[in-house]
Amino acid sequence: MLKTRNRSLVLRERPTGEVGDEHFEMVEGPVPTPRAGEVVIRNEWLSFDPAQRGWMNDVRSYAPPVAIGEVMRAYGVGMIVASEHADLPVGTRVQGQLGWQEYAHIPPGGIGELTIVPPEIAHPETMLGVLGLTGLTAYFGMLMVGIPGVGDTVLVTAAAGATGSIAGQIARINGASRVVGTAGTAEKRAWVCEVAGFDECLDHYDDDVRRQLRRAAPGGYDVVFDNVGGSLLDAALFNIAERGRIALCGSISTGYRPERPAIGLHYYQLLTTRRSRMEGFLVTDFADQFDRARGDLSRWVDEGKIQASQDVLTGLERAPTGLARLFSGGNLGKQLLRLS
Amino acid sequence: MLKTRNRSLVLRERPTGEVGDEHFEMVEGPVPTPRAGEVVIRNEWLSFDPAQRGWMNDVRSYAPPVAIGEVMRAYGVGMIVASEHADLPVGTRVQGQLGWQEYAHIPPGGIGELTIVPPEIAHPETMLGVLGLTGLTAYFGMLMVGIPGVGDTVLVTAAAGATGSIAGQIARINGASRVVGTAGTAEKRAWVCEVAGFDECLDHYDDDVRRQLRRAAPGGYDVVFDNVGGSLLDAALFNIAERGRIALCGSISTGYRPERPAIGLHYYQLLTTRRSRMEGFLVTDFADQFDRARGDLSRWVDEGKIQASQDVLTGLERAPTGLARLFSGGNLGKQLLRLS
């Protein structure tokens, strides 16, 4: 039976430091009713992604900022519970930008952004993790930008994270002979080696990480998949191999906080002497290849070649906590929230 | 008539700051005599290149450092005056690593590194400039790494230098619609616009250069060809366009001084949100294409599409001054030394 009230978390003020409950406000309203060409979705799962922190800043970027008073933007999975759209009947499960709310009202212009979750997928929340944007980010960043070849040595920073953990395993599938990770806690490092199958995992808070990286791969890294930025990226630059490729995925160490400038990179000159490159990418640019990539990822999961981990909170009111955990390093694997 | 004595400048001690006369020692010896498979060259012109400063540091790089007591490594043009090599008769003019000396003695292993200067080249010293490594660096860095397309906006830092001035003109030939440079003096900026035909040239010492770059190209730069590094490169990163390409050629602002760390780059996160890349290259990797490139460059010079400038000192004893000028910004165009 449907509820009659919808709860939403809207952006109250833009954070300047760490994100917390005080930046959002819970508002209640009626469950929306679809008009022609629209659907209403009961949200089941919400995804937390570092990019969300960037969307909260009032700065020019690839996506417009979330407005004050607007429902916080987020990817999620949910079930269509009311529909005036012929192709999306009630009972269809979809993934898309559903927002921090219990019910999402999708206008005609947003229908094209929804992805149907195939009924044969046993765990629909994987459409937010290994089969969702984090897994797809690992897939395209590694295979289209990092491009590990047979015998290559690969470094993945934040290797216990939703993207890093998948990226390292994809490098291995693609032929890399040595895969090194970094993570912030002993528990995560154990998981990265024992479950995700990396050869070694270093402490990325180690003051001596530059030398540790060298010790772990004396010949340098052919591919670096970076989720951290700052001094760890600089240490990776110091250890780049000739013709190396650094895929710039994210920069979690900066917290995506506009008031805090990123720690500068000093070793960029080595890109010249080692004929190497550093390149950014956005997964959404590869949208026309998502189906093929999901097919590969799904098969690799079924074959046991990819291990994915999830970290699940429950209840809409905990959404700000879920987002903050990405930056405090509290999560192991994909941070999700299950709506009660 | 041949002299009987050869003078050479050998490295006495490695500089930690600016390079000067005190780091070299003039030594005299007999003019060498070639043995089987060898040639002796009377040096006519010496080239100054920023990479030479790097060769003086005792650090791992793409080329081994010059040893203490060894003749300072340098490219030059000279005439073969004694030969025991069938393919290189006396009277042949060659370009190669001839060193800071009046006569170069090339062992059998070094013969393959020499390039014959075609007799039809009216000014053999252009084999060190627009037809030499600086021109070739501009050619391959711009066309293989920066890759300006029709209508692109291009930024070249140190645009009055031997490489930058050619790079910007090649961008124009390749279809760029707007070419912006930076240079350190009013005289150079005037030359860059009036002779080399750039649309605009900014003062790269201006504290506000980040905003000046924005004003000069509000839509950002599709291609950046960077010779300067440090805070100017950071300002260029801040102004990179979507899908932009930064060709990392050199980092003259650092002085290639190992004791002085490069100013850090803070805006590297924009490479991700703008799907852009920063890539280093070494011209020597394109050696198998030098002949074709020289053909293009030579034709463009003949057609008046490329204007090259030279700055000439005279006398071997002034070689340290010639090298130092690259870092003080004293030269306009290619810095050369003519042996008296």
Side-chain angles (χ1 to χ4, degrees):
Chain A
M1 169 144 173
L2 293 186
K3 295 195 208 176
T4 56
R5 304 292 286 172
N6 180 28
R7 294 192 307 156
S8 308
L9 276 168
V10 302
L11 184 61
R12 179 157 60 188
E13 67 177 310
R14 302 192 186 283
T16 54
E18 290 171 22
V19 67
D21 289 333
E22 66 275 23
H23 303 111
F24 302 93
E25 184 172 357
M26 187 72 82
V27 298
E28 276 199 37
V31 171
T33 305
R35 287 165 298 190
E38 299 180 343
V39 299
V40 169
I41 297 162
R42 191 184 64 231
N43 292 348
E44 299 171 317
W45 295 90
L46 294 177
S47 171
F48 297 96
D49 299 280
Q52 290 177 281
R53 183 63 187 80
W55 299 338
M56 298 175 75
N57 300 330
D58 193 16
V59 294
R60 162 190 168 190
S61 187
Y62 61 99
V66 177
I68 299 295
E70 190 182 350
V71 175
M72 179 60 195
R73 191 183 302 154
Y75 285 92
V77 159
M79 180 72 80
I80 294 178
V81 291
S83 175
E84 294 295 335
H85 192 291
D87 301 338
L88 293 170
V90 169
T92 307
R93 189 168 268 131
V94 293
Q95 184 256 42
Q97 284 195 1
L98 306 186
W100 284 5
Q101 53 193 343
E102 292 172 328
Y103 290 88
H105 181 193
I106 309 294
I111 295 289
E113 308 290 313
L114 298 176
T115 301
I116 293 175
V117 180
E120 65 270 23
I121 289 187
H123 302 283
E125 73 276 19
T126 59
M127 285 292 284
L128 300 172
V130 61
L131 304 182
L133 284 184
T134 42
L136 293 166
T137 297
Y139 183 95
F140 291 104
M142 191 53 90
L143 298 179
M144 306 293 263
V145 183
I147 317 174
V150 172
D152 275 357
T153 296
V154 175
L155 172 66
V156 177
T157 63
T163 297
S165 60
I166 307 300
Q169 295 176 82
I170 291 172
R172 177 82 79 198
I173 291 167
N174 216 46
S177 63
R178 183 160 174 77
V179 181
V180 176
T182 75
T185 69
E187 179 203 3
K188 290 181 181 182
R189 291 191 289 276
W191 182 88
V192 166
C193 291
E194 291 161 22
V195 181
F198 285 49
D199 295 294
E200 187 163 353
C201 192
L202 308 174
D203 179 0
H204 58 217
Y205 297 118
D206 188 333
D207 287 339
D208 198 32
V209 69
R210 202 175 86 189
R211 200 172 312 173
Q212 293 297 330
L213 286 170
R214 172 65 54 94
R215 183 195 51 68
Y221 296 91
D222 302 295
V223 174
V224 174
F225 188 106
D226 182 47
N227 298 296
V228 173
S231 57
L232 184 59
L233 174 57
D234 209 24
L237 263 174
F238 186 81
N239 286 289
I240 192 72
E242 291 207 352
R243 309 274 182 194
R245 291 84 66 193
I246 300 177
L248 287 183
C249 178
S251 199
I252 196 82
S253 70
T254 68
Y256 301 95
R257 288 155 60 166
E259 86 290 358
R260 192 168 65 168
I263 290 173
L265 304 180
H266 297 277
Y267 293 112
Y268 63 89
Q269 284 184 76
L270 294 173
L271 292 175
T272 300
T273 54
R274 301 194 190 150
R275 305 89 148 168
S276 298
R277 72 160 189 258
M278 185 154 78
E279 182 166 1
F281 69 98
L282 292 179
V283 65
T284 43
D285 290 336
F286 299 95
D288 59 341
Q289 301 177 59
F290 279 3
D291 284 347
R292 175 176 65 77
R294 281 206 184 91
D296 283 345
L297 289 162
S298 180
R299 192 177 69 252
W300 292 333
V301 169
D302 290 346
E303 294 171 352
K305 290 180 181 167
I306 285 186
Q307 304 294 326
S309 174
Q310 296 177 346
D311 211 326
V312 180
L313 294 171
T314 302
L316 181 61
E317 57 285 348
R318 299 201 66 195
T321 302
L323 184 54
R325 285 175 65 141
L326 299 182
F327 298 94
S328 65
N331 60 305
L332 195 166
K334 179 66 192 182
Q335 182 69 57
L336 295 172
L337 184 142
R338 183 164 207 161
L339 287 160
S340 43
Chain B
M1 171 149 172
L2 293 185
K3 295 193 205 175
T4 58
R5 303 293 288 172
N6 180 28
R7 294 193 308 156
S8 308
L9 276 169
V10 303
L11 184 61
R12 178 157 61 187
E13 67 176 307
R14 301 192 187 283
T16 54
E18 289 170 23
V19 66
D21 289 334
E22 65 276 22
H23 302 112
F24 301 93
E25 184 170 1
M26 188 73 83
V27 298
E28 277 199 36
V31 171
T33 305
R35 286 165 299 188
E38 299 181 343
V39 298
V40 169
I41 297 161
R42 189 183 68 231
N43 292 347
E44 300 170 316
W45 295 90
L46 294 178
S47 171
F48 297 95
D49 298 281
Q52 290 177 282
R53 183 62 188 79
W55 300 338
M56 299 176 76
N57 299 330
D58 193 17
V59 293
R60 160 191 168 190
S61 188
Y62 61 99
V66 176
I68 299 294
E70 190 182 351
V71 175
M72 180 60 195
R73 191 181 304 154
Y75 285 92
V77 159
M79 180 72 81
I80 294 178
V81 291
S83 175
E84 294 295 336
H85 191 290
D87 300 337
L88 294 170
V90 168
T92 306
R93 188 168 270 130
V94 293
Q95 184 258 42
Q97 284 196 0
L98 306 185
W100 283 5
Q101 53 193 342
E102 292 172 329
Y103 290 87
H105 178 193
I106 308 295
I111 295 290
E113 308 290 314
L114 298 176
T115 302
I116 293 175
V117 179
E120 66 270 22
I121 289 188
H123 302 284
E125 72 276 19
T126 59
M127 285 292 284
L128 300 173
V130 60
L131 304 183
L133 284 185
T134 41
L136 292 166
T137 297
Y139 183 95
F140 291 104
M142 190 54 89
L143 297 180
M144 307 293 264
V145 183
I147 316 174
V150 172
D152 275 357
T153 296
V154 175
L155 173 67
V156 176
T157 63
T163 297
S165 60
I166 307 300
Q169 295 175 83
I170 291 173
R172 177 82 78 198
I173 290 167
N174 216 47
S177 63
R178 184 160 173 78
V179 181
V180 177
T182 75
T185 69
E187 178 203 4
K188 289 181 180 182
R189 290 191 290 276
W191 183 87
V192 166
C193 291
E194 290 161 22
V195 182
F198 286 49
D199 296 292
E200 187 163 354
C201 193
L202 307 174
D203 179 0
H204 59 217
Y205 297 118
D206 188 331
D207 288 338
D208 198 31
V209 70
R210 202 175 86 189
R211 200 172 312 173
Q212 294 297 329
L213 286 170
R214 172 64 54 93
R215 184 194 50 67
Y221 296 91
D222 302 296
V223 174
V224 174
F225 188 105
D226 182 48
N227 298 297
V228 173
S231 57
L232 185 59
L233 174 56
D234 209 23
L237 264 174
F238 185 80
N239 286 288
I240 191 71
E242 291 209 352
R243 310 275 181 194
R245 291 83 67 192
I246 301 177
L248 287 183
C249 178
S251 199
I252 197 81
S253 70
T254 68
Y256 301 94
R257 287 156 60 167
E259 86 290 358
R260 192 169 64 167
I263 290 172
L265 304 181
H266 296 277
Y267 293 112
Y268 64 88
Q269 286 184 74
L270 293 173
L271 292 175
T272 300
T273 53
R274 300 192 191 151
R275 306 89 150 167
S276 298
R277 71 162 190 256
M278 184 154 79
E279 182 166 1
F281 68 97
L282 292 179
V283 65
T284 45
D285 291 337
F286 299 94
D288 59 341
Q289 300 176 60
F290 279 3
D291 284 347
R292 175 177 65 79
R294 281 205 184 91
D296 283 345
L297 288 162
S298 180
R299 192 177 69 252
W300 293 332
V301 169
D302 290 346
E303 293 171 353
K305 291 180 180 166
I306 285 186
Q307 303 295 326
S309 174
Q310 296 178 347
D311 211 328
V312 179
L313 295 170
T314 301
L316 181 61
E317 57 286 349
R318 300 201 67 195
T321 302
L323 184 54
R325 286 175 63 139
L326 299 182
F327 298 94
S328 67
N331 60 306
L332 196 166
K334 179 68 191 181
Q335 182 69 59
L336 295 171
L337 184 141
R338 183 164 206 160
L339 287 159
S340 44

